[in-house]
Structure formats: C-alpha cells, structure tokens
C-alpha cells in the first residue's frame, strides 16, 4: 500500500514518465537545471493528458468564503493554520492552491525522487488556484461552529480546500493544522521575530523511516503529537485574554475571529493519518464534541485509545482504500451507548477526499486512482452533506442540515451503510505506509 495521502503525487510522477520517459540517474539536479523549453514541452504533454480536468469546486452554501494563514509563536513548536471562514461581500476571487515551491520539493522527497521532480511539479501545478478569496474581512453578526482539521501523511494545510471552502460556505470556521511532527511533506517556521520580519523561513521536510526502523512506534508518537497540535490550535484560537499575534503579519483581525466562534460547538475532522488524529484528539481533549474521520488509517493508534473516548464519531470511507485489519480497528471503537457511524462511498478512492482528485483529467485520474468511478464532485458532495448532518446533530446546530440525515445511515444510491469489506473471510493484516504488511496473529 502506498502512503495514504500523497499516492496522488506518485501517480502524477508516473504520468510524467509515461508521457516522456526520463533516465533519472543521468540528471544532476544541481548542474542541469531544466530549461524553459523542456518545461514547456512537459506542460504541453501534461495538458494533453489532463484533458477534461475540472477545477476545485466552489462552496454550495449561502456564505461567501475567504481564507487566511495564521502562525502563532516561533520555532518548530509554533502553530500554523490555514483558516477558511464566512466572509463579507460577494467576492469571487482565487487564491494560489500550493503557495511555495518548497512544498513541491517536499513532495519530491516524499516520492523518493530528485529535487528536479519538485521543480517539474511546481511548474505544472504552481499556478493552480482554489476558488476562495484571500484575507477578506470576516462576516460578523453571528457565532460560528469551529472545525479543526488534520491533514494526511505527506500532505499540508492547503490541499483540503474543497472541503474547507464548502463547510465554510455553510457557516463554519475551518482551521486546517499544518503539522510539525514530520508527517507533512514540508512546512516552515520562523526562529524568532527578526527572522519573521525579513521573511527568513526555516523549512522542515518529511521525516522518513530509517533503515530497519519500526513504523508503528514512530506513527504512534506522531499521532499523539498531532492531537496535541490540534488542541494547541484550539487553545490559541479560543484564548480571548491571550495576546496572540500572527507572526505572518497579515492584516486579519484575530480578535474578531475569536469573538465569532461558538466555544461550545467544536469538532475535529481529518483524512487518512488525520483520521487517526481525530480519534486520538477525541480521546485527549473533551472540548472536541464529535469527530469525523475520512478514510482513516488506523495503524498509528494504540489499542487502548480505540474504546476509551465517549464523543460521537463518524467514519466516512472510500470503497477502494479500506482493508480488513483497518476496518476491524475501526469497529473496536464501538461501545454500548456511544454514537458510532460508518458509511462507504461507492466507486470512490482515497484521493476523493483531497484536492488532488481535481488536479488531472479523467483519463489520468482513473488510470492512477486519483479519481474513482464516481464523479469526484458527487463524492465530495456526499462527504460534505453527510458531515453537515452529523455536525448539526451533535453540535446542536439550528440549521437545515438534517435534510441529509439519511446519508449518515448510508441511504443513497451511491452509499453503502457500514463497509464493503468482509472481515470474516480474508486474512487480517495491518499495512504500513511502505508497502509491507504486518501479520496480526490475534
């Protein structure tokens, strides 16, 4: 099994080698910086392969949406967030999807390729935009529920914009944490105020397994740190008396944001490794009233955590990613008197929950499992509507999201109640993120 969240980028690299094969051993990324002509040729070839590409969709709710970045404090212990929120006005502008070339370099490291691949990916996707305005004033006059979102392994804060935009368009504030535990493909921080003032970023790239290193202890350590980062983000957002300055020095009113959050209506949500982070965060922090785990990767979690928390939990799975051992671990979260729901989206793949599903055309998307047989917009719509119905019920919202309550039960032609995985007839294995499997002897 490939790494859960950035399988997409491996697919894109594979696309490039299909379109124009490279002998990577002959390329020196320092001495042979690619020419603009080569990049233009690659872009043209990739454009042909991406015929039929769709854009990241706009939100379906009644609110206009904007986004901003918040960074609190300095060093690698700082908190870094992409925040989506209801905004004033009816602005229809765009924001760069992946804002720094270093993220593409981090992706190239994650894929095990040379830095040149990062330059190619930057050239191909560096100008791609998301349909959301940047740094617009927050829409005031009401209190909004808050969702803290945790990204997957090898991902970062900007690549769940389709989910963030849609939930914000329905009246939520969505804070996507960029994790500092070594699970993001890349992230940056400032060492101190002087570094921030001159824009001197310190980049932190993906932590890879050392030769012979066991994966489970590392991932368990990371998932605990990730949950703490979610709680730390919550501390900083909710602390009215704290003087929280945005290190990025953007003209955004943080106090207004704090004053606009309904402090009793807070949820945690995440994808893949972020789905495991949801469960760890529910266990560690009672302020999260419920959680939504999108295609959760359960390997990082300790057994005792699975049945130890009481808040409601909703698993939304893809049809093609899950496997018996993972579903068995999900079912260990079940306990009498605790709300646990699970649905599976027919024809969906792991990347249907991330923006990568909109990054290529249908041919390449299907060939390399960036897209499933279900239309990506339909899968996203089902995910968000089911999530909204679940959030209304457990955050006690006075909205009309209960019109989608049937989706929570899997009542739709594109949904399976529970799971499509038979856990009784197949060998039970725990898969790690490097393609090997660990036998479960229970």
């Amino acid at each position: 099994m490939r790494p859960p969240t950035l399988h997409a980028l491996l697919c894109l690299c594979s696309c490039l080698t299909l379109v124009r094969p490279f002998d990577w051993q002959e390329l020196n990324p320092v001495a042979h910086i690619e020419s603009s002509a080569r990049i233009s040729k690659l872009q043209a070839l990739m454009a042909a392969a991406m015929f039929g590409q769709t854009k990241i969709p706009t939100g379906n709710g009644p609110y206009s949406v904007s986004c901003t970045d918040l960074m609190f404090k300095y060093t690698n212990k700082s908190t870094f967030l992409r925040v989506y929120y209801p905004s004033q006005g009816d602005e229809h502008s765009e924001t760069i999807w992946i804002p720094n070339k270093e993220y593409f370099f981090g992706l190239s490291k994650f894929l095990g390729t040379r830095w040149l691949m990062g330059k190619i990916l930057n050239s191909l996707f560096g100008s791609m935009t998301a349909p959301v305005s940047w740094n617009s004033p927050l829409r005031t006059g009401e209190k909004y529920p808050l969702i803290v979102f945790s990204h997957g392994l090898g991902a970062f804060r900007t690549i769940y914009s389709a989910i963030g935009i849609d939930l914000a368009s329905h009246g939520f504030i969505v804070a996507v944490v960029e994790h500092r535990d070594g699970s993001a493909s890349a992230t940056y921080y400032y060492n101190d105020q002087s570094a921030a003032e001159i824009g001197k970023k310190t980049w932190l790239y993906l932590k890879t397994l050392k030769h012979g290193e066991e994966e489970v202890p590392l991932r368990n350590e990371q998932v605990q740190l990730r949950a703490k980062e979610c709680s730390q983000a919550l501390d900083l957002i909710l602390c009215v008396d704290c003087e929280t300055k945005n290190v990025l020095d953007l003209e955004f009113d943080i106090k207004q944001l704090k004053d606009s959050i309904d402090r009793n209506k807070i949820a945690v949500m995440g994808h893949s490794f972020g789905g495991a982070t949801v469960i760890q965060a529910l266990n560690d922090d009672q302020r999260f009233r419920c959680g939504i785990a999108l295609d959760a990767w359960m390997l990082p979690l300790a057994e005792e955590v699975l049945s130890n928390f009481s808040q409601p939990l909703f698993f939304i799975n893809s049809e093609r990613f899950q496997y018996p051992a993972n579903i068995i671990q999900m079912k260990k979260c079940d306990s009498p008197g605790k709300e646990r729901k699970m649905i599976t989206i027919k024809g969906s793949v792991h990347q249907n929950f991330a923006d990568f599903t909109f990054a290529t055309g249908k041919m390449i998307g299907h060939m390399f499992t960036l897209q499933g047989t279900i239309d990506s917009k339909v899968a996203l719509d089902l995910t968000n509507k089911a999530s909204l119905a679940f959030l209304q019920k457990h955050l006690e919202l006075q909205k009309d999201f209960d019109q989608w309550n049937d989706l929570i039960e899997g009542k739709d032609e594109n949904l399976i109640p529970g799971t499509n995985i038979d856990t009784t007839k197949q060998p039970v294995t725990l898969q790690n993120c490097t393609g090997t499997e660990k036998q479960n002897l229970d």
Side-chain angles (χ1 to χ4, degrees):
M1 184 179 70
R2 292 291 179 184
T5 301
L6 282 188
H7 179 206
L9 267 296
L10 177 58
C11 297
L12 293 178
C13 294
S14 301
C15 295
L16 286 171
T17 57
L18 285 173
V19 173
R20 185 195 188 284
F22 281 93
D23 183 353
W24 293 101
Q25 298 303 317
E26 295 178 357
L27 293 178
N28 182 327
V30 176
H32 299 279
I33 302 301
E34 69 283 356
S35 66
S36 59
R38 173 172 286 179
I39 290 299
S40 297
K41 183 176 181 180
L42 282 168
Q43 286 177 317
L45 290 168
M46 195 63 177
M50 293 166 64
F51 178 76
Q53 175 188 17
T54 57
K55 296 187 69 175
I56 295 170
T58 58
N60 291 317
Y63 295 87
S64 297
V65 179
S66 188
C67 68
T68 195
D69 284 339
L70 301 178
M71 187 183 295
F72 301 119
K73 303 181 180 180
Y74 302 100
T75 77
N76 61 353
K77 305 300 182 185
S78 60
T79 296
F80 197 10
L81 308 170
R82 168 60 58 94
V83 181
Y84 300 91
Y85 56 90
S87 61
Q88 296 180 23
D90 192 23
E91 215 176 325
H92 296 290
S93 58
E94 303 271 317
T95 296
I96 291 294
W97 179 43
I98 298 177
N100 302 92
K101 65 181 183 299
E102 286 83 359
Y103 287 105
F104 294 105
F105 296 156
L107 292 173
S108 72
K109 178 184 178 182
F110 180 67
L111 297 169
T113 60
R114 303 225 180 176
W115 291 109
L116 178 58
M117 179 55 72
K119 289 180 174 289
I120 293 171
L121 291 173
N122 182 42
S123 179
L124 292 170
F125 298 101
S127 61
M128 185 172 170
T129 59
V132 58
S133 66
W134 175 252
N135 217 34
S136 298
L138 179 75
R139 186 180 188 271
T140 55
E142 62 181 293
K143 297 280 190 178
Y144 302 109
L146 173 67
I147 299 171
V148 176
F149 193 102
S150 173
H151 66 70
L153 179 65
F156 38 89
R157 73 189 187 285
T158 71
I159 61 173
Y160 295 94
S161 63
I163 288 177
I165 290 167
D166 191 63
L167 294 177
S169 78
H170 285 92
F172 288 81
I173 292 172
V174 182
V176 186
V177 179
E178 189 161 283
H179 290 293
R180 312 292 212 186
D181 65 320
S183 65
S185 64
T187 186
Y188 70 88
Y189 58 89
Y190 296 103
N191 278 314
D192 50 35
Q193 183 176 342
S194 61
E197 288 173 352
I198 63 174
K200 185 181 178 182
K201 301 179 179 72
T202 299
W203 283 90
L204 186 69
Y205 292 101
L206 182 82
K207 181 178 181 180
T208 55
L209 288 169
K210 299 174 184 176
H211 180 70
E213 182 179 8
E214 288 290 324
E215 181 161 25
V216 173
L218 171 63
R219 300 309 181 199
N220 181 252
E221 179 183 345
Q222 286 180 316
V223 79
Q224 292 183 62
L225 180 54
R226 284 166 141 259
K228 288 178 182 176
E229 289 178 321
C230 291
S231 293
Q232 182 175 299
L234 195 53
D235 292 339
L236 292 165
I237 292 172
L238 296 183
C239 184
V240 176
D241 298 326
C242 299
E243 208 170 307
T244 44
K245 178 182 182 297
N246 188 2
V247 171
L248 302 176
D249 201 29
L250 298 172
E251 293 182 1
F252 180 79
D253 192 336
I254 297 176
K255 184 179 184 305
Q256 193 176 74
L257 176 71
K258 292 172 181 282
D259 292 342
S260 297
I261 292 173
D262 189 329
R263 304 164 71 85
N264 295 314
K265 301 187 189 315
I266 300 168
V268 61
M269 188 173 185
H271 174 232
S272 197
F273 202 171
T277 307
V278 165
I279 295 169
Q280 187 72 50
L282 291 173
N283 180 76
D284 296 350
D285 195 334
Q286 292 296 311
R287 293 176 297 176
F288 294 116
R289 291 184 55 186
C290 62
I292 300 174
L294 307 176
D295 236 9
W297 180 45
M298 302 294 287
L299 178 141
L301 293 162
E303 287 284 328
E304 60 268 19
V305 170
L306 301 180
S307 60
N308 195 48
F309 62 97
S310 59
Q311 303 99 307
L313 175 63
F314 189 15
F315 290 107
I316 303 179
N317 295 335
S318 70
E319 187 173 15
R320 291 182 57 185
F321 173 74
Q322 294 300 330
Y323 53 98
N326 215 47
I327 295 296
I328 286 172
Q329 294 301 96
M330 290 180 183
K331 289 183 176 180
K332 288 180 182 179
C333 295
D334 293 346
S335 187
K338 297 178 182 178
E339 178 85 352
R340 303 287 183 263
K341 295 292 183 180
M342 182 188 295
I343 60 173
T344 300
I345 301 174
K346 292 180 182 177
S348 62
V349 297
H350 199 53
Q351 294 305 325
N352 276 125
F353 300 101
D355 293 342
F356 292 118
T357 192
F358 302 106
T360 65
K362 289 184 177 180
M363 180 183 72
I364 296 300
H366 291 158
M367 188 180 300
F368 296 102
T369 64
L370 294 171
Q371 301 172 13
T373 55
I374 190 172
D375 182 272
S376 293
K377 288 185 177 180
V378 173
L380 177 71
D381 193 54
L382 287 167
T383 298
N384 290 340
K385 285 179 177 176
S387 297
L388 289 167
F390 186 80
L391 291 166
Q392 169 155 329
K393 179 179 180 181
H394 297 292
L395 298 183
E396 300 175 345
L397 306 177
Q398 301 302 311
K399 298 283 187 177
D400 63 351
F401 307 149
D402 55 350
Q403 65 182 297
W404 301 309
N405 278 350
D406 281 352
L407 299 182
I408 302 175
E409 307 299 330
K411 295 178 180 178
D412 185 271
E413 63 180 357
N414 290 307
L415 295 177
I416 299 168
T419 181
N420 60 306
I421 300 297
D422 183 352
T423 59
T424 63
K425 296 180 181 178
Q426 301 183 51
V428 178
T429 60
L430 287 175
Q431 298 183 4
N432 67 16
C433 76
T434 59
T436 60
E437 297 182 345
K438 295 189 177 183
Q439 193 72 31
N440 186 338
L441 302 177
D442 289 346

